[in-house]
């Protein structure tokens, strides 16, 4: 109810901002990274198995705030993707056709993909039983950051802003909600 209408609005605007550097266009396209990119959906299932009811409620509130803040930025600062989207990706056509159908190339800064993964990883991290599982979660987050670049859905500024938004919402909304409970 928020992301898709915002996506539609920004796709119809002209004068979108170019917020990437020319050298970023040399970042290679690695189609197999679509699996890491899509693993955000798995990450979003983990809280159901690791968080308490109060933590889940706080995470839901924080995710809603993340979505609305990102949507407001998308509307105020529509951007353009510097990469050309391939029409045909051998072996990955279905995955990329689905991605391109849902992800129009204008809702870029901040990367909502990265903001959400940062928020979820921060919320889940301390509920994991071992330092190995926490390290694995952080590694997964790093791979998600790389994946949005290698499937050429985002630029570096998008990732940085997504990390900042996710962390700020974690600190200001999630932790505040937990402490109120």
């Amino acid at each position: 109810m928020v992301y898709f209408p915002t996506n539609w609005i920004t796709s119809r605007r002209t004068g979108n901002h170019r917020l990437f550097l020319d050298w970023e266009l040399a970042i290679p396209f690695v189609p197999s990274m679509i699996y890491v990119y899509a693993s955000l959906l798995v990450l979003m299932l983990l809280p159901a198995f690791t968080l308490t009811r109060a933590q889940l409620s706080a995470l839901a509130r924080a995710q809603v705030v993340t979505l609305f803040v990102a949507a407001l930025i998308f509307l105020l600062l529509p951007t353009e993707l510097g990469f050309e989207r391939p029409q045909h990706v051998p072996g990955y056509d279905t995955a990329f056709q689905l991605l391109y159908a849902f992800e129009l190339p204008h809702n870029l800064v901040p990367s909502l993909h990265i903001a959400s993964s940062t928020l979820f990883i921060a919320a889940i991290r301390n509920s994991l039983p071992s330092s190995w599982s926490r390290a694995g979660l952080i590694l997964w987050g790093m791979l998600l950051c790389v994946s949005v670049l290698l499937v050429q859905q985002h630029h570096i500024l998008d990732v940085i802003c997504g990390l900042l938004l996710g962390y700020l919402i974690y600190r200001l909304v999630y932790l505040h909600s937990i402490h109120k409970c």
Side-chain angles (χ1 to χ4, degrees), residues 34 101 172:
I34 193 69
L172 299 174

Side-chain angles (χ1 to χ4, degrees), residues 1-121:
M1 291 176 40
V2 175
Y3 181 77
F4 293 114
T6 305
N7 221 345
W8 182 82
I9 291 167
T10 57
S11 73
R12 279 149 180 73
R13 293 176 65 180
T14 58
N16 293 334
H17 302 279
R18 182 185 188 271
L19 298 179
F20 57 89
L21 301 171
D22 288 335
W23 64 264
E24 290 180 66
L25 300 179
I27 293 172
F29 179 61
V30 182
S32 61
M33 288 300 283
I34 193 69
Y35 297 117
V36 177
Y37 183 89
S39 74
L40 174 64
L41 300 173
V42 175
L43 177 63
M44 291 181 141
L45 294 174
L46 286 183
F49 303 102
T50 59
L51 300 182
T52 66
R53 181 176 226 108
Q55 291 169 321
L56 283 170
S57 180
L59 182 58
R61 277 192 290 283
Q63 180 62 21
V64 168
V65 171
T66 302
L67 180 59
F68 277 98
V69 169
L72 180 63
I73 296 169
F74 296 153
L75 291 172
L76 294 174
L77 187 68
T79 56
E80 66 181 49
L81 185 65
F83 300 109
E84 280 287 321
R85 287 180 155 183
Q87 296 297 316
H88 178 61
V89 184
Y92 301 93
D93 273 340
T94 302
F96 279 94
Q97 287 170 358
L98 278 170
L99 176 64
Y100 297 159
F102 290 106
E103 304 274 339
L104 301 177
H106 304 289
N107 286 358
L108 300 174
V109 176
S111 166
L112 190 53
H113 210 85
I114 299 305
S116 295
S117 63
T118 300
L119 172 62
F120 275 66
I121 288 169

